[in-house]
Amino acid sequence: MEIIESKENKLIKSLKKLKQKKYRDSENKFLAEGYKFLDYNYFPEIIIIREDIYQSNFYFEKLNKFSCKKIVVTTKIFEELSSQENSQGVIILYNKKNNDLKSLSNNLVILDDVSDPGNLGTIIRICDATNFKDIILTKGTVDAYNEKVIRATMGSILNVNLYYLEKSKIINFLKENNYSIISTYL
């Protein structure tokens, strides 16, 4: 277990950058916060633990099931990485899935210009619960790896496949692959 106490640490600086979409996209990584994510079998790259949580051994059993790098950071550093006011003391670094349109199932959901992060996270959670694992998002939709979306998915982001496409490409794809289309509009 590595202990990091400096805000100037190279890893800490790179983790902070992931709060911005352009870095999440260029690094193909995202952060998820909360112990709920430790219940999933999607393997993280790094688990960051706040020092007081590590000392309490609160998540010890859950942490041990992962063979990834684990680091302990000071409360001050953790607060800079955290997006939550009352954090549970665990942040996980994941690689985004590299999804391929050729592997889409017959049942998929297409979301057009969803702008509210909480709404998108909730929709992703509902899709996961109802076994719709493939979600196509139009280019105008909020970033699915935004910290508010991740939090609202409550872990379901790890169970779904996300694709961002232009509207015209989505329509062409659906027609070319003979999908039956059902749509709703508010």
Side-chain angles (χ1 to χ4, degrees):
M1 187 82 61
E2 182 180 350
I3 298 172
I4 299 177
E5 297 176 332
S6 171
K7 293 191 289 187
E8 301 305 313
N9 179 283
K10 185 179 173 184
L11 175 60
I12 299 303
K13 286 182 174 183
S14 68
L15 291 171
K16 282 185 203 175
K17 286 182 178 180
L18 293 175
K19 290 178 161 274
Q20 299 173 47
K21 182 183 181 335
K22 68 180 180 179
Y23 290 107
R24 289 191 298 269
D25 289 347
S26 69
E27 297 296 318
N28 209 30
K29 299 177 188 299
F30 69 98
L31 296 172
E33 188 167 351
Y35 68 86
K36 178 74 176 153
F37 287 89
L38 298 174
D39 292 335
Y40 290 85
N41 288 325
Y42 191 78
F43 290 93
E45 184 174 321
I46 300 173
I47 301 174
I48 302 106
I49 308 133
R50 194 176 62 217
E51 61 188 342
D52 62 316
I53 297 298
Y54 179 68
Q55 291 166 356
S56 72
N57 292 327
F58 188 69
Y59 305 120
F60 196 73
E61 190 176 307
K62 288 184 179 191
L63 291 171
N64 280 339
K65 81 175 187 179
F66 298 107
S67 60
C68 66
K69 180 177 186 173
K70 298 171 188 89
I71 62 171
V72 176
V73 298
T74 64
T75 300
K76 195 168 204 105
I77 292 172
F78 192 90
E79 287 171 355
E80 290 185 19
L81 295 172
S82 177
S83 62
Q84 298 182 15
E85 198 171 306
N86 296 311
S87 176
Q88 296 172 333
V90 176
I91 297 174
I92 301 108
L93 175 67
Y94 290 107
N95 290 308
K96 292 181 184 180
K97 292 180 188 176
N98 292 320
N99 297 317
D100 183 6
L101 285 175
K102 294 174 185 162
S103 64
L104 281 174
S105 66
N106 290 332
N107 295 323
L108 56 101
V109 172
I110 300 169
L111 301 174
D112 182 22
D113 291 335
V114 178
S115 59
D116 183 88
N119 287 348
L120 178 58
T122 300
I123 293 168
I124 290 171
R125 199 169 70 240
I126 291 168
C127 288
D128 180 30
T130 56
N131 212 27
F132 282 84
K133 300 300 182 186
D134 295 312
I135 304 169
I136 299 177
L137 307 151
T138 61
K139 291 280 184 177
T141 298
V142 67
D143 177 25
Y145 297 98
N146 157 325
E147 56 200 18
K148 290 180 182 178
V149 175
I150 299 294
R151 185 170 45 247
T153 70
M154 297 176 72
S156 288
I157 191 92
L158 304 175
N159 289 334
V160 298
N161 303 309
L162 302 172
Y163 310 84
Y164 277 91
L165 291 172
E166 297 288 340
K167 291 176 189 180
S168 60
K169 289 184 180 181
I170 294 171
I171 292 167
N172 290 338
F173 174 81
L174 294 173
K175 287 179 180 178
E176 289 169 6
N177 292 284
N178 297 317
Y179 276 91
S180 298
I181 301 170
I182 301 169
S183 64
T184 63
Y185 180 76
L186 288 178

